[in-house]
Amino acid sequence: MSNKATLKNIAEMLQISISTVSRALKDHPDIAKETKRKVRELAEVMDYEPNAFAVYLRTQQSKVLGLIVPEISNFFYHSFVASIEQEARKRGYTLLILQSGNNPEIEEANLKLCKLNRVAAIFVALTSETNDIAVFKRIMVSGIPIIFFDKVPDDNQCIKVTMADTDIGKLAAKTIHQHKKKNVLALFGNPNMSITRKRKQGFVNELKKLSPLIEIATSTATSTKEAKSLALEALQSPKKIDTIFCMSDEILTGVIMAINQLHLSMPDQIAVLAISNGFIPKLTNPSITYIETSGAMLGEKSMETLFEVLDKGISKKTELITSKLIQGGSI
Amino acid sequence: MSNKATLKNIAEMLQISISTVSRALKDHPDIAKETKRKVRELAEVMDYEPNAFAVYLRTQQSKVLGLIVPEISNFFYHSFVASIEQEARKRGYTLLILQSGNNPEIEEANLKLCKLNRVAAIFVALTSETNDIAVFKRIMVSGIPIIFFDKVPDDNQCIKVTMADTDIGKLAAKTIHQHKKKNVLALFGNPNMSITRKRKQGFVNELKKLSPLIEIATSTATSTKEAKSLALEALQSPKKIDTIFCMSDEILTGVIMAINQLHLSMPDQIAVLAISNGFIPKLTNPSITYIETSGAMLGEKSMETLFEVLDKGISKKTELITSKLIQGGSI
DNA sequence: AATATTTTCGCAAAGGTTTGCAATATAGGA
DNA sequence: TCCTATATTGCAAACCTTTGCGAAAATATT
């Protein structure tokens, strides 16, 4: 069975020991140059690749990173994944991408899967339904670092990388104020999530401060459909709103549907401002003005944080990413 | 260190042998009921999970499925992944999701990664730039089954699961013919891909057959941007087209942008028909009529095919999935 | 009571790699 | 020639699980 490319086979063919082969391939100083050359040559032609499973078994160090997100088909997470993936590839890591489908049970199952696969670390964007992070804590104490990103828990005893959500809310408020709007409908997502609470708080407080006389109606829309019907209702009601603020792409999608259905034009008949990743806003004419939440930036920062954690063994830290306004024509 | 949950530790604590523990956990008939009970109980409280790496090393059977797609952030692949994932979870498999970013080099690197991780099988949707599948063939002969889906190679000596693209093209043609359209702009993607060629062939041939007098202008658009400018150009040209056919969501997106920009209304000023996964078409008003390509169905069929391959060891087969028209108001 | 049968369990090897330590070889020095 | 230092290499254990085969114990049969 000399066909499989293993250390053992290389050793046999070269009539040297397995350990010598192993060290030669790792450029260990103990090994003679000539031996190294021979080993490397044969390894090359045999297309040798170390068996990751055996390596793990011996070193207990897997080169796999877990990634758990509610849904990956979403521009934000996608750009996040893309940037993580790129960096991971450079460092020889593999990404184990798992989706929880916004279901805490699947989320937990995925967590278990990560543990089973002995991942080196896990990136987690929480489900909007997750309100108990005890499971995660258990994994953390078992020695696998967890980096929460985007949808993070309130708890401060963990590693978090997230957008500066309060600031984003404030920026939205400032934008609306600058345009002298009078009557705003603000649509927010699931109020259980800290991301929602922070954006809402930043937005509402700032807007009230800047424009004390403005009318602000806030509503909760946990789906595109809901956002659409809320928008339709508001747009058809007698007391006319002049602006809709959407805290996410999911909501923005519903609002666009409503506006299209009523054949309203932006920004004169209705102004729109959103927090978005940039795909949906470009679909309309004029394009929608939005505050960009960059998955790529979040990814980079998360990766940086990860290696900090891996190297220095920190166990709590909060990283905030700032973002900027992208001017469209909707306000 | 009796803290880690391994067979060895369980065995020590119970003063029995490792093999007995292993068999007890597997409900092997050789083991006494009482012993099984004790082992299971302890395993439970110790939260024992077999070490996947050790299992692989021994059995050479990994419970990981590779999945390589150009981009996962795309409704079609997403629903595909979702359905594969669900089924995989049921059977105790993990999905290793890899994106090639439409780059054949990364695609090859990912393939290598799958090999390195000794996956049980690989699902592949090819890059539009991939024209040599020799690398894949090598993997196949090395014993890892590959299931090509969606973007499949022309070669018939492999396993393919794909939409019935020629039929889809024909269905589109039939729909346009039924609406008595006279002047059609048909936008297709990368002509290197068999999916493009088949859709185009089915569409053009059928339409010419049904409506010999119709004017058909076909163009190639390999990006949303390109689709947009092609549509703008056509819509503003003197010889007025009455219908645009889009072979993909990517193209449809560009076309919608163009239509929005020119403030045209569907279906009277311009009719639109697309092949799509259903998200983009619902964004407009009226919504766009499309022929649905269901990632979920493709996923199910792929998974079925996989287990057929795994069980019966087939090495070539082509599965075709049919699809249907979803009526919107754009034609 | 002695033998045959069945039930229950343990031994040991294998899978591929890493690594501390021991062993051998070579060279330099006295 | 013998000893010490250095350069190379090999041995063997460990990581954790699975599994064929044999051993021991319990039970059944005569």
Side-chain angles (χ1 to χ4, degrees):
Chain A
M1 310 303 158
S2 62
N3 45 357
K4 283 198 301 183
T6 67
L7 292 184
K8 192 176 168 188
N9 281 329
I10 296 181
E12 265 171 22
M13 301 184 75
L14 255 33
Q15 295 286 358
I16 54 179
S17 82
I18 295 177
S19 34
T20 304
V21 178
S22 173
R23 280 188 260 251
L25 255 15
K26 293 199 146 39
D27 207 16
H28 191 287
D30 269 10
I31 306 299
K33 269 187 237 154
E34 177 58 15
T35 314
K36 279 184 192 169
R37 197 189 51 74
K38 274 195 280 188
V39 170
R40 277 203 276 251
E41 251 170 32
L42 184 55
E44 180 77 21
V45 309
M46 287 181 69
D47 197 20
Y48 170 79
E49 291 288 353
N51 183 317
F53 293 83
V55 172
Y56 166 80
L57 205 54
R58 177 60 227 242
T59 63
Q60 304 282 6
Q61 300 225 40
S62 100
K63 285 289 214 177
V64 178
L65 259 23
L67 173 66
I68 305 180
V69 290
E71 287 237 337
I72 197 184
S73 150
N74 151 325
F75 256 66
F76 182 72
Y77 290 135
H78 175 252
S79 57
F80 179 88
V81 171
S83 84
I84 292 266
E85 214 167 36
Q86 195 181 3
E87 193 64 20
R89 196 191 313 280
K90 273 191 217 155
R91 310 216 187 199
Y93 280 83
T94 304
L95 256 199
L96 187 61
I97 303 175
L98 270 5
Q99 302 182 88
S100 47
N102 219 45
N103 178 342
E105 283 177 33
I106 300 186
E107 190 174 54
E108 192 174 338
N110 282 339
L111 204 58
K112 207 165 181 177
L113 221 48
C114 283
K115 195 182 159 199
L116 207 79
N117 283 75
R118 262 70 174 183
V119 298
I122 312 177
F123 294 101
V124 179
L126 291 178
T127 282
S128 55
E129 312 297 325
T130 310
N131 28 41
D132 182 16
I133 63 160
V135 231
F136 296 93
K137 291 255 167 177
R138 269 209 296 283
I139 299 275
M140 285 163 66
V141 304
S142 90
I144 305 181
I146 297 189
I147 316 267
F148 291 100
F149 70 96
D150 193 43
K151 312 283 180 64
V152 304
D154 282 324
D155 194 317
N156 274 319
Q157 303 303 304
C158 55
I159 314 269
K160 302 195 267 188
V161 182
T162 177
M163 305 299 299
D165 289 305
T166 313
D167 290 349
I168 291 182
K170 283 186 191 171
L171 179 52
K174 208 163 69 182
T175 309
I176 290 180
H177 168 249
Q178 281 169 350
H179 286 271
K180 304 203 179 10
K181 295 300 179 183
K182 308 268 184 261
N183 198 332
V184 178
L185 170 66
L187 263 22
F188 294 92
N190 192 315
N192 288 333
M193 307 217 56
S194 88
I195 188 175
T196 302
R197 286 199 305 274
K198 284 186 182 157
R199 288 180 181 184
K200 185 169 180 177
Q201 183 205 320
F203 178 79
V204 173
N205 291 353
E206 183 78 0
L207 195 50
K208 276 187 181 152
K209 201 178 84 190
L210 294 172
S211 321
L213 299 176
I214 206 168
E215 288 242 9
I216 314 174
T218 67
S219 284
T220 293
T222 57
S223 69
T224 296
K225 214 171 129 195
E226 209 174 320
K228 180 179 174 185
S229 58
L230 281 169
L232 276 176
E233 195 184 328
L235 289 167
Q236 293 173 305
S237 91
K239 43 173 180 166
K240 286 208 27 165
I241 59 170
D242 54 21
T243 309
I244 300 182
F245 167 66
C246 311
M247 78 150 258
S248 72
D249 274 308
E250 200 180 7
I251 291 171
L252 174 61
T253 304
V255 169
I256 291 180
M257 288 176 176
I259 292 177
N260 279 343
Q261 185 169 325
L262 300 177
H263 298 289
L264 298 176
S265 73
M266 300 182 290
D268 47 318
Q269 294 181 293
I270 184 73
V272 176
L273 176 64
I275 300 176
S276 162
N277 325 301
F279 175 73
I280 303 281
K282 295 205 171 46
L283 251 38
T284 60
N285 185 271
S287 69
I288 295 195
T289 300
Y290 65 98
I291 294 162
E292 186 180 40
T293 59
S294 157
M297 274 180 62
L298 202 65
E300 277 167 37
K301 193 52 118 180
S302 299
M303 210 59 178
E304 261 177 44
T305 308
L306 167 66
F307 286 105
E308 210 174 321
V309 170
L310 248 33
D311 292 346
K312 301 181 195 158
I314 327 167
S315 73
K316 62 182 190 186
K317 178 166 194 180
T318 302
E319 287 276 1
L320 290 181
I321 313 272
T322 56
S323 60
K324 59 177 196 279
L325 186 79
I326 308 289
Q327 262 306 340
S330 68
I331 187 170
Chain B
M1 309 316 158
S2 63
N3 45 357
K4 285 198 302 183
T6 68
L7 292 184
K8 191 178 170 187
N9 281 327
I10 296 181
E12 265 171 23
M13 301 184 75
L14 254 35
Q15 295 287 356
I16 55 180
S17 82
I18 296 177
S19 35
T20 304
V21 178
S22 173
R23 281 189 258 252
L25 255 14
K26 293 201 144 39
D27 207 18
H28 191 287
D30 268 13
I31 306 300
K33 267 187 238 153
E34 178 58 14
T35 314
K36 280 183 191 169
R37 196 188 54 72
K38 274 195 281 189
V39 170
R40 277 203 275 251
E41 254 171 30
L42 185 55
E44 179 78 21
V45 309
M46 287 181 68
D47 197 19
Y48 171 80
E49 291 288 353
N51 183 317
F53 294 83
V55 172
Y56 164 80
L57 207 53
R58 178 60 228 241
T59 62
Q60 305 280 3
Q61 301 224 35
S62 101
K63 286 289 212 176
V64 177
L65 259 24
L67 173 67
I68 304 180
V69 290
E71 288 237 336
I72 197 183
S73 149
N74 152 321
F75 256 67
F76 183 72
Y77 289 136
H78 176 251
S79 58
F80 179 88
V81 171
S83 84
I84 291 264
E85 214 167 36
Q86 194 180 5
E87 193 64 20
R89 197 190 313 280
K90 272 191 217 155
R91 311 218 188 194
Y93 280 84
T94 304
L95 256 200
L96 187 61
I97 304 176
L98 269 7
Q99 300 185 85
S100 47
N102 218 46
N103 178 342
E105 283 177 32
I106 301 187
E107 190 174 53
E108 192 173 340
N110 283 338
L111 203 59
K112 205 166 184 178
L113 220 48
C114 282
K115 197 183 160 199
L116 209 77
N117 283 76
R118 262 70 176 181
V119 298
I122 312 177
F123 293 102
V124 179
L126 292 178
T127 283
S128 54
E129 313 298 325
T130 310
N131 29 40
D132 182 15
I133 63 161
V135 229
F136 296 95
K137 290 252 168 178
R138 269 209 298 282
I139 298 276
M140 285 163 65
V141 304
S142 90
I144 305 181
I146 296 189
I147 318 267
F148 292 99
F149 70 95
D150 192 41
K151 311 285 180 62
V152 304
D154 281 326
D155 193 318
N156 274 318
Q157 302 304 304
C158 55
I159 314 270
K160 303 195 265 188
V161 183
T162 177
M163 306 297 301
D165 289 305
T166 313
D167 290 348
I168 290 181
K170 285 187 190 169
L171 179 52
K174 208 165 67 182
T175 308
I176 290 178
H177 169 248
Q178 280 169 351
H179 286 271
K180 306 201 180 5
K181 295 298 178 185
K182 308 268 183 257
N183 198 331
V184 179
L185 168 66
L187 264 22
F188 294 92
N190 191 316
N192 288 333
M193 308 217 55
S194 88
I195 188 176
T196 301
R197 287 199 304 274
K198 285 186 180 157
R199 288 179 181 184
K200 186 168 179 176
Q201 183 205 323
F203 178 80
V204 174
N205 292 352
E206 183 77 2
L207 195 50
K208 278 190 180 150
K209 202 179 84 189
L210 294 173
S211 320
L213 299 177
I214 206 168
E215 287 242 11
I216 314 174
T218 67
S219 284
T220 294
T222 57
S223 69
T224 296
K225 214 171 128 196
E226 209 174 323
K228 181 180 173 185
S229 58
L230 281 170
L232 276 176
E233 194 184 330
L235 288 167
Q236 292 172 309
S237 91
K239 44 173 181 167
K240 286 209 25 164
I241 59 168
D242 56 19
T243 308
I244 300 182
F245 167 67
C246 312
M247 81 150 257
S248 72
D249 274 307
E250 201 180 6
I251 291 171
L252 174 61
T253 304
V255 169
I256 289 179
M257 288 176 176
I259 293 178
N260 279 341
Q261 186 170 322
L262 300 177
H263 298 289
L264 298 176
S265 74
M266 299 182 291
D268 46 318
Q269 294 181 293
I270 184 74
V272 176
L273 176 65
I275 299 177
S276 162
N277 326 300
F279 175 73
I280 303 282
K282 294 203 171 50
L283 252 36
T284 59
N285 185 272
S287 70
I288 295 192
T289 299
Y290 65 97
I291 294 162
E292 185 179 41
T293 59
S294 158
M297 272 178 65
L298 200 65
E300 276 168 38
K301 193 52 120 183
S302 299
M303 208 60 178
E304 261 177 44
T305 308
L306 167 65
F307 286 105
E308 211 175 321
V309 170
L310 249 31
D311 292 346
K312 298 180 197 159
I314 327 166
S315 73
K316 61 182 191 184
K317 178 166 194 180
T318 301
E319 287 276 359
L320 291 180
I321 313 272
T322 56
S323 60
K324 58 176 196 281
L325 186 80
I326 308 288
Q327 262 306 340
S330 68
I331 187 169

